[in-house]
C-alpha cells in the first residue's frame, strides 16, 4: 500500500482512470454513471490531484504484480475548524480482477490506521444500501447511522438508497 501525493495522482491519472472505469463497469456506485469514459475518469483523478495538493485529500493505492493500481482508498478532510477531528472515507475501489482476496479490507485498514495516526477520531462514509461494500464496513466494525432513500443513481441510472456509516477511532498508543 502506497500513499500517493498530488504528483503521483496526476502522473498516474490514466491508470487510476482504468480502475475507476472498471469499478463503474462492475456496477459499483461510486458517484458515476455507466457512460463514464476513460477521459472523464482521468480528468476526475487530475482534479483529485489538486485537492490532494491542498491537503484536503489523502490517497492510497494498492498495486498489482505489474505495478498498476488494483485498488484505492481516500480520506477527505473537512475544511471547517469545528470538524478537524473527522474525515470521510471515499472511493474505496478494488479492480474486478483483484476482488475476493482481502484487498478491500487491507485498504480500509490502511485508511483507518492513517486517520487514527493523524488524530482523526471519527470517520464516516456512505455506500449503496445492499452492496458488497456495505458487508465489508459492517464486518470491520462500522456503525450504521441511517438510510437515505433515492440518494443517487446507480451506474445503470436507477435511483438507489444509500446507507450512512461511522466509526470512532482510538488514537494510537504512545
Amino acid at each position: 500500500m502506497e500513499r500517493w501525493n498530488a504528483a503521483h495522482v496526476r502522473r498516474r491519472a490514466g491508470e487510476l482512470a482504468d480502475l475507476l472505469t472498471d469499478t463503474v463497469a462492475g456496477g459499483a456506485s461510486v458517484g458515476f454513471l455507466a457512460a463514464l469514459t476513460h477521459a472523464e475518469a482521468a480528468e476526475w483523478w487530475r482534479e483529485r490531484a489538486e485537492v490532494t495538493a491542498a491537503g484536503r485529500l489523502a490517497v492510497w493505492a494498492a498495486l498489482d504484480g505489474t505495478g498498476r493500481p488494483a485498488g484505492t482508498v481516500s480520506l477527505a478532510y473537512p475544511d471547517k475548524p469545528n470538524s478537524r477531528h473527522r474525515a470521510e472515507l471515499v472511493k474505496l475501489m478494488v479492480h474486478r480482477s483483484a476482488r475476493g482476496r482481502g484487498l478491500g479490507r487491507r485498504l480500509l485498514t490502511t485508511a483507518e490506521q492513517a486517520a487514527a495516526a493523524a488524530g482523526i477520531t471519527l470517520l464516516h462514509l456512505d455506500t449503496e444500501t445492499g452492496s458488497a461494500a456495505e458487508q465489508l464496513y459492517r464486518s470491520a466494525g462500522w456503525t450504521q447511522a441511517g438510510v437515505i432513500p433515492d440518494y443517487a443513481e446507480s451506474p445503470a441510472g436507477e435511483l438507489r438508497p444509500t446507507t450512512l456509516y461511522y466509526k470512532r477511532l482510538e488514537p494510537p498508543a504512545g
Side-chain angles (χ1 to χ4, degrees), residues 7 16 35 44 54 74 81-82 91 93 126 152 170 174:
L16 290 165
W44 184 85
S74 298
N82 72 342
K91 301 301 181 267
M93 297 184 280
D126 71 88
E170 295 292 326

Side-chain angles (χ1 to χ4, degrees), residues 98-143:
R99 290 185 187 160
R101 294 182 230 151
L103 182 55
R105 171 81 58 184
R106 290 192 304 275
L107 286 160
L108 182 59
T109 299
T110 295
E112 290 174 355
Q113 290 173 346
I120 300 296
T121 58
L122 180 67
L123 290 175
H124 63 97
L125 63 83
D126 71 88
T127 192
E128 184 177 337
T129 303
S131 68
E134 191 174 21
Q135 296 171 351
L136 170 64
Y137 301 128
R138 283 185 181 166
S139 70
W142 287 69
T143 302

Side-chain angles (χ1 to χ4, degrees), residues 7 10 38 46 85 122 148:
R10 193 175 301 107
H38 188 271
R46 283 190 286 278
H85 66 288
L122 180 67
I148 303 172

